[in-house]
């Protein structure tokens, strides 16, 4: 028979932890001996090891208490569920670790290969470096948060830029960045963009900035608007003419 201190040391916990387990009803308190000390046996050590193992796995103490009174079949089933939960946690932690490593390396998120090629093509088409950098940051954001939705958005944009007439509109949009917000050329550009948008999607098929599946389109447009007063003015004009 051993004391509470010896029990705690043998299992690798503190005396305070053992007492907490007593208070929570996880580990029964043994009777005191003639000297007034509680004495613990091998069964107590085995029980404490089980409790510590479950607690270290992140199982709440209340659940551990319930498991202590479960029959063997229920206990084994619960252990299987806990194992599955740990597997999920490990996967999530590994993903978080990978994101941290990418962040440390200056790479917030991996972009699909075709997106990287598309960004290189933008420069060859004559887009400014500021536009290319903004597009890269926006696609990193989109693919890091909503990869399934992002690929749909990317394919739509890539398809538009493949059309020379639409690409010229994008180039005009890019070059309008440094215009004064009251420049009349913005009104003409907004009119041309609205006409091209209606021709591409039709009045009933306009893409929504907030379609209920992702906040990414609205976030992207908000980021673009924040980059330039002229772009913010363009967005206002386009929305008004599309009735948005």
């Amino acid at each position: 028979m051993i004391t509470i201190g010896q029990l705690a040391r043998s299992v690798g916990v503190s005396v305070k932890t053992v007492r907490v387990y007593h208070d929570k009803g996880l580990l029964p308190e043994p009777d005191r001996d003639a000297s007034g000390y509680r004495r613990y046996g091998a069964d107590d050590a085995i029980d404490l090891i089980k409790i510590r193992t479950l607690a270290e796995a992140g199982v709440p103490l209340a659940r551990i208490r319930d498991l202590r009174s479960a029959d063997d079949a229920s206990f084994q089933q619960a252990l299987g569920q806990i194992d599955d939960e740990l597997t999920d946690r490990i996967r999530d932690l590994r993903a978080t670790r990978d994101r941290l490593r990418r962040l440390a390396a200056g790479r917030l998120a991996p972009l699909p290969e075709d997106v990287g090629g598309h960004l290189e093509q933008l420069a060859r088409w004559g887009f400014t470096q500021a536009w290319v950098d903004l597009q890269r940051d926006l696609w990193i954001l989109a693919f890091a948060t909503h990869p399934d939705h992002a690929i749909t958005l990317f394919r739509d944009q890539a398809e538009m830029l493949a059309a020379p007439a639409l690409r010229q509109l994008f180039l005009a949009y890019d070059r309008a960045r440094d215009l004064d917000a009251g420049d009349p050329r913005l009104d003409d550009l907004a009119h041309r963009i609205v006409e091209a948008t209606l021709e591409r999607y039709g009045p009933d098929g306009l893409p929504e900035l907030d379609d209920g599946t992702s906040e990414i389109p609205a976030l992207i447009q908000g980021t673009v608007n924040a980059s330039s007063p002229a772009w913010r003015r363009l967005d206002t004009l386009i929305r008004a003419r599309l009735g948005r």
Side-chain angles (χ1 to χ4, degrees), residues 13-76:
V13 299
S14 67
V15 170
K16 181 179 179 181
T17 297
V18 177
R19 288 179 174 147
V20 168
Y21 293 162
H22 285 327
D23 292 339
K24 298 294 184 180
L26 279 74
L27 184 68
E29 292 188 61
D31 295 331
R32 296 181 184 274
D33 62 13
S35 300
Y37 294 102
R38 298 192 184 279
R39 297 290 180 174
Y40 297 83
D43 288 344
D44 298 308
I46 292 171
D47 287 343
L48 185 55
I49 290 171
K50 291 179 179 178
I51 296 168
R52 185 202 64 183
T53 302
L54 291 169
E56 289 177 346
V59 181
L61 296 185
R63 188 177 180 189
I64 295 175
R65 184 177 59 245
D66 294 338
L67 289 175
R68 298 283 292 116
S69 59
D71 59 36
D72 186 63
S74 299
F75 184 72
Q76 292 300 323

Side-chain angles (χ1 to χ4, degrees), residues 141 145-146 149 153 209-221:
L141 170 65
T145 54
H146 294 76
H149 197 60
L153 293 173
L209 286 181
D210 183 5
D211 61 6
T213 62
S214 168
E215 64 273 18
I216 285 298
L219 186 56
I220 286 176
Q221 188 61 58

Side-chain angles (χ1 to χ4, degrees), residues 82-97:
I82 294 168
D83 183 85
D84 291 341
E85 292 166 6
L86 279 174
T87 299
D88 291 340
R89 284 171 55 195
I90 290 169
R91 183 189 62 245
D92 293 342
L93 285 171
R94 284 176 174 166
T96 300
R97 182 191 62 188

